């Protein structure tokens, strides 16, 4: 006799590929059955008239992490995971950031101590490598042993950036272990040079942040990062693409068979540099790197969302409060170089994309699921546990009311922030009940989870099967063929 711990009854189940009405039977935290007319369970959720979607998988957010200039994020793993859950996410993958001088085990242990007793949703980390000395590179396999199968590197920020040779070391090691390397791609020297000129001219206000990060700086770095990855035939994930130039380089490289993936973020689709020009220091709230651009850019980025250049839309939640602990740490008259980069967005990534993407007809519901859950799970080694609704998968489910309209307020974000850059926006379509492994974590606007309910996710190697270039043989000049490229094979 089939019995279930919980049945979600009568909802419209939508995945990246399917759309049908059925009941979901959950047993032991996993989906045990999907069918019409499942037997009654002790615990039931009536999902009639609701959308039943895979819980979001957020793979770009900064939680309990020191910024590139050493400022701690406002959110820890409790507030960050609660905010993510209210935003329809069932799991997330923030960063474990190696600071210069730290070892790999030491870094991962530190983040285990920050996350373990606090997260209400399942979590993993991408390992930021900022100091790839010989000893650190030798220690990197510790990450794979612990199920951390993605790295992140920076091409900018003086305290984080690595050189091209170090980047190649990391890419080729990642390749050998089936891992993927993420990159923040901006040309550091262009930004520093531009910033120095602006400051010399007395141009210190937040609006000059956007001018100091030209589109060319992103395009040059994306092109370089992809060239490095192609040289050693390694998988690369470009985070927060913000320009048409950058997106076009990604599109072309994917078409040419490079193992390149990319994301953009809501801020690049919904905000512009006019927001940086708000009175006084208000513009600081909208400062992130790369910066938000203009409406023409937004239209082009939407087209890349629609046509598959971007596999994910991630929040890049980087929460620094609008007070002396964060954005205003250097005071009210700080220059744009002294203001922490980043903005919050964990709880709004999905509602923004649903309201402005799905409801406006820019993307389908299937695209929505793929961009917010399925593709990230697949790219970062979490499939089939996360990112879909299927028998055997974790019961990570977000039940949505597609008709509910709310006006965004900072107070409703459930994070540790004192502002949201999307204050006052009216959005239609909200998650009402969110489950992680079959447990309700949010139900009808109430938190139902406790700190530490989330589990660490050991991730699998990245599966490149069927992705651009896979199985087609060398995709570029012979020098990028690993079978004859000595450089791609020196590391085991
Ligand atoms: O401005 C941003 N995005 N801050 C967070 C750190 C990073 O660059 O990803
Ligand atoms: Zn970044
Ligand atoms: Zn980031």
């Amino acid at each position: 006799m089939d019995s279930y711990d919980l049945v979600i009854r009568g909802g419209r189940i939508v995945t990246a590929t399917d759309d049908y009405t059925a009941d979901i039977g959950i047993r032991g935290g996993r989906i045990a059955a999907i069918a019409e007319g499942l037997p009654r369970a002790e615990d039931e959720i009536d999902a009639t008239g609701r959308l039943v979607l895979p819980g979001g998988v957020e793979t770009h957010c900064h939680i309990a992490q020191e910024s590139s200039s050493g400022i701690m994020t406002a959110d820890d793993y409790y507030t960050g995971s609660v905010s993510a859950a209210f935003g329809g996410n069932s799991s997330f993958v923030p960063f474990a950031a190696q600071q210069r001088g730290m070892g790999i085990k030491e870094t991962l242990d530190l983040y285990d101590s920050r996350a373990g007793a606090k997260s209400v949703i399942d979590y993993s980390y991408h390992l930021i490598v900022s100091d790839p000395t010989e000893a650190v590179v030798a220690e990197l396999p510790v990450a794979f042993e612990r199920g951390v199968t993605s790295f992140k590197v920076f091409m900018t920020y003086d305290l984080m950036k690595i050189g091209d040779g170090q980047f190649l070391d990391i890419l080729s090691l990642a390749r050998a272990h089936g891992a993927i390397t993420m990159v923040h791609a901006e040309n550091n020297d262009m930004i520093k040079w531009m910033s120095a000129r602006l400051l010399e001219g007395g141009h210190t206000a937040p609006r000059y942040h956007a001018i100091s990060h030209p589109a060319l700086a992103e395009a040059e770095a994306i092109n370089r990062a992809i060239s490095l990855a192609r040289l050693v035939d390694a998988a690369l994930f470009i985070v927060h693409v913000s320009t048409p130039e950058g997106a076009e380089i990604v599109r072309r490289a994917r078409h040419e068979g490079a193992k390149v993936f990319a994301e953009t973020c809501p801020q690049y689709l919904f905000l512009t540099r006019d927001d940086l020009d708000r009175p006084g220091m208000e513009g600081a709230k909208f400062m992130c790197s790369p910066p938000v651009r203009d409406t023409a850019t937004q239209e082009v980025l939407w087209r890349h969302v629609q046509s598959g250049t971007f596999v994910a839309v991630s929040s890049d939640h980087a929460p620094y409060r609008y007070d002396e602990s964060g954005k205003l740490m250097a005071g009210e008259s700080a220059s744009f170089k002294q203001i922490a980069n980043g903005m919050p967005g964990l709880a709004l990534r999905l509602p923004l994309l649903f309201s402005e993407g799905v409801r406006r007809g820019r993307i389908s519901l299937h695209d929505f699921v793929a961009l917010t859950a399925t593709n990230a799970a697949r790219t970062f080694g979490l499939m089939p546990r996360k990112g879909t609704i299927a028998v055997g998968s974790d019961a990570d489910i977000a039940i949505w009311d597609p008709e509910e309209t709310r006006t965004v307020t900072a107070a409703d974000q459930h994070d540790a922030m004192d502002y949201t850059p999307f204050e006052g926006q009216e959005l239609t379509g909200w998650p009402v009940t969110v489950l992680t492994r079959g447990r309700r974590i949010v139900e009808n606007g109430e938190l139902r989870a406790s700190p530490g309910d989330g589990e660490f996710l050991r991730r699998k190697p990245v599966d490149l099967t069927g992705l651009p270039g896979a199985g087609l043989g060398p995709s570029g000049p012979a020098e990028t063929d690993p079978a004859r490229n000595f450089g791609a094979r020196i590391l085991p």
Side-chain angles (χ1 to χ4, degrees):
M1 169 65 188
D2 293 335
S3 66
Y4 306 104
D5 305 329
L6 170 67
V7 168
I8 300 173
R9 198 168 292 285
R12 179 178 162 202
I13 300 168
V14 182
T15 68
T17 50
D18 300 313
D19 185 347
Y20 54 95
T21 297
D23 306 333
I24 299 176
I26 296 165
R27 193 186 305 127
R30 299 201 308 169
I31 298 174
I34 305 174
E36 291 175 344
L38 285 179
R40 282 207 72 74
E42 197 139 300
D43 192 7
E44 298 235 346
I45 296 175
D46 179 7
T48 314
R50 307 283 205 218
L51 292 172
V52 179
L53 310 181
V57 180
E58 169 65 81
T59 50
H60 187 162
C61 54
H62 302 266
I63 306 292
Q65 185 202 320
E66 291 84 0
S67 74
S68 56
S69 53
I71 304 175
M72 181 54 101
T73 55
D75 281 310
D76 65 10
Y77 271 80
Y78 181 66
T79 56
S81 62
V82 167
S83 184
F86 274 98
N89 297 285
S90 295
S91 60
F92 65 171
V93 187
F95 298 97
Q98 180 218 16
Q99 305 294 331
R100 297 220 160 135
M102 280 174 76
I104 299 306
K105 180 176 177 307
E106 184 187 359
T107 303
L108 293 171
D109 287 349
L110 175 66
Y111 279 84
D112 280 349
S113 74
R114 291 178 177 180
K118 291 199 169 172
S119 189
V120 305
I121 60 175
D122 290 355
Y123 62 94
S124 175
Y125 328 110
H126 310 289
L127 176 67
I128 291 178
V129 185
S130 66
D131 189 16
T133 60
E134 216 172 295
V136 165
V137 173
E139 206 196 343
L140 283 175
V142 166
F144 309 127
E145 285 153 25
R146 290 168 69 147
V148 172
T149 54
S150 48
F151 298 140
K152 182 180 179 195
V153 299
F154 287 83
M155 297 170 84
T156 187
Y157 298 135
D158 282 344
L159 290 175
M160 305 293 281
K161 79 181 179 72
I162 61 167
D164 291 351
Q166 295 172 313
F167 198 168
L168 283 167
D169 283 343
I170 291 169
L171 285 163
S172 59
L173 185 84
R175 178 183 186 277
H177 289 268
I180 187 166
T181 306
M182 305 165 85
V183 62
H184 176 137
E186 286 187 287
N187 180 304
N188 196 50
D189 284 337
M190 282 188 187
I191 295 165
K192 280 176 79 170
W193 193 90
M194 292 283 291
S195 302
R197 300 290 83 73
L198 288 163
L199 294 178
E200 272 166 25
H203 304 306
T204 59
R207 68 188 295 264
Y208 295 104
H209 171 70
I211 296 171
S212 71
H213 287 245
L216 275 173
E218 178 175 277
E220 186 284 324
I222 289 179
N223 189 52
R224 183 158 36 105
I226 291 175
S227 303
L228 296 171
R230 291 184 83 167
L231 183 69
V232 293
D233 191 38
L236 182 70
F237 191 104
I238 319 270
V239 298
H240 51 46
V241 177
S242 69
T243 59
E245 294 85 344
E248 180 55 26
I249 293 166
V250 171
R251 186 202 64 73
R252 198 176 60 235
R254 281 168 67 80
H255 182 73
E256 289 172 0
K259 297 179 178 68
V260 172
F261 306 84
E263 65 177 20
T264 191
C265 311
Q267 43 274 39
Y268 305 113
L269 298 172
F270 300 113
L271 303 174
T272 69
R273 58 182 171 232
D274 289 347
D275 292 304
L276 288 167
D277 211 10
R278 295 194 187 198
M281 288 297 272
E282 282 279 308
K285 294 178 177 175
F286 301 87
M287 276 180 60
C288 58
S289 289
V292 294
R293 311 281 179 180
D294 55 21
T295 49
T297 294
Q298 291 177 350
E299 287 311 311
V300 178
L301 293 180
W302 270 111
R303 268 183 253 140
H304 283 284
V305 169
Q306 292 169 322
S307 59
T309 304
F310 298 125
V311 298
V313 175
S314 308
S315 72
D316 192 8
H317 179 82
Y320 304 104
R321 290 169 61 90
Y322 188 64
D323 64 20
E324 62 291 344
S325 73
K327 293 282 183 184
L328 303 180
M329 185 167 262
E332 287 275 356
S333 53
S335 83
F336 67 89
K337 289 307 277 183
Q338 298 170 297
I339 297 170
N341 280 197
M343 62 175 81
L346 257 182
L348 290 175
R349 174 181 74 119
L350 276 76
L352 279 165
L353 206 61
F354 188 94
S355 187
E356 303 306 299
V358 177
R359 291 201 63 106
R360 287 190 189 277
R362 287 164 156 150
I363 56 171
S364 71
L365 256 177
H366 301 299
D367 296 333
F368 173 77
V369 172
L371 288 163
T372 58
T374 316
N375 293 347
R378 184 175 179 197
T379 308
F380 293 109
L382 288 169
M383 265 314 226
R385 268 190 80 177
K386 307 292 187 189
T388 193
I389 294 178
V391 172
S393 294
D394 284 357
D396 282 17
I397 291 170
I399 302 173
W400 285 67
D401 180 346
E403 303 301 333
E404 184 181 348
T405 298
R406 284 189 217 159
T407 301
V408 171
T409 66
D412 287 342
Q413 303 309 299
H414 303 276
D415 56 13
M417 290 295 292
D418 52 356
Y419 79 92
T420 163
F422 302 100
E423 184 81 33
Q425 287 211 20
E426 197 171 88
L427 301 179
T428 300
W430 288 88
V432 285
T433 299
V434 182
L435 285 77
T436 295
R437 277 179 290 105
R439 283 177 300 102
R440 293 167 173 85
I441 44 179
V442 168
E443 187 170 40
N444 298 324
E446 298 292 326
L447 182 67
R448 297 272 306 257
S450 305
D453 280 354
E455 278 181 5
F456 177 73
L457 296 164
R458 288 183 65 84
R459 289 184 287 126
K460 299 188 295 187
V462 55
D463 176 7
L464 297 172
T465 312
L467 293 170
L472 297 175
S475 58
E479 67 195 19
T480 65
D481 175 2
R484 51 145 281 186
N485 178 2
F486 182 72
R489 295 198 300 160
I490 47 171
L491 289 166

